[in-house]
Amino acid sequence: MGSLREFRAAVPCLHPVGHDPQLLARIAALLGEAEMALQDDTQNAYACLEQAMELLRQANAYRDYGARHAGSGLTHWQTRRLDHYISQHLAAAIRTCDLAAQLNLSSSHFSHVFKQTFGITPLAYVARKRIEAAREMMLATDQPLTQIAHAHGFCDQSHFTRTFRRETGLSPLMWRQRCTTKTQAAAES
């Protein structure tokens, strides 16, 4: 990944963040750090930008949809129930009908309200959750990527790598190396 333009293309921002002052302050700090590091430490700048974009993605996924009229999106309790179900079943196959059953909705109605709420399909959301959990495991352990892929419901490392690259703009190996380098540099400071 060579330029900020490529980074922006790889990690789109779906919606405005909202008005959470702490979240906005954290994102601003990350972007400021990235701007300062851009000239001297491109790798650190990309890591800061990636963290800021992840915060934006999470904020967008969990936005308060109460402002919408009733019945047009999922409620907070429904999204919490889905997140709990997904986190408990990451290693297994998760189908749209399984998620719909958690809320006692038909698959078609569930898919419609899910996309209204999150702006992505249920399966894309599950893939994003799997990648988030895999990233945490990659930072916490030195397990091979194949084992991490299988532990998070990917059929093989190739599928994991394609999904990881789509979500982060980097391969799992490159992401792990960058984060390891950053962690080591921080520990030495």
Side-chain angles (χ1 to χ4, degrees):
M1 181 162 295
S3 73
L4 185 57
R5 179 177 299 145
E6 289 173 353
F7 183 83
R8 285 182 181 146
V11 189
C13 180
L14 301 174
H15 302 288
V17 169
H19 301 290
D20 181 349
Q22 290 179 323
L23 180 62
L24 292 173
R26 178 70 181 131
I27 292 169
L30 285 167
L31 292 174
E33 189 178 331
E35 182 179 30
M36 288 177 17
L38 197 54
Q39 298 299 323
D40 301 323
D41 186 1
T42 307
Q43 191 172 11
N44 188 36
Y46 280 120
C48 290
L49 288 170
E50 184 179 326
Q51 289 175 21
M53 290 307 297
E54 182 61 29
L55 288 173
L56 287 171
R57 273 205 256 1
Q58 289 174 7
N60 290 329
Y62 296 107
R63 273 182 25 179
D64 180 7
Y65 292 93
R68 291 183 177 184
H69 61 282
S72 69
L74 298 173
T75 64
H76 287 294
W77 74 264
Q78 288 173 319
T79 56
R80 281 193 308 271
R81 180 177 286 179
L82 289 175
D83 282 343
H84 178 73
Y85 178 82
I86 292 167
S87 68
Q88 296 300 311
H89 296 88
L90 281 177
I94 301 174
R95 300 181 324 235
T96 301
C97 61
D98 299 328
L99 297 173
Q102 293 299 306
L103 305 179
N104 295 321
L105 298 174
S106 71
S107 292
S108 62
H109 180 66
F110 170 76
S111 294
H112 178 74
V113 295
F114 191 96
K115 187 144 186 178
Q116 278 185 323
T117 303
F118 293 106
I120 58 175
T121 65
L123 296 181
Y125 184 81
V126 169
R128 185 171 289 167
K129 290 296 187 180
R130 285 184 165 143
I131 293 299
E132 287 174 15
R135 286 172 26 170
E136 289 175 17
M137 189 173 188
M138 289 166 64
L139 291 175
T141 71
D142 59 351
Q143 285 189 348
L145 294 176
T146 302
Q147 288 180 352
I148 292 172
H150 288 274
H152 292 90
F154 294 97
C155 56
D156 56 30
Q157 186 174 342
S158 175
H159 181 217
F160 174 60
T161 299
R162 282 191 314 274
T163 306
F164 196 97
R165 188 181 308 261
R166 185 178 64 235
E167 288 296 318
T168 66
L170 299 170
S171 71
L173 182 60
M174 185 179 285
W175 184 87
R176 185 183 238 178
Q177 290 171 342
R178 285 186 177 183
C179 289
T180 301
T181 303
K182 183 178 177 188
T183 304
Q184 288 173 347
E188 293 172 2
S189 298

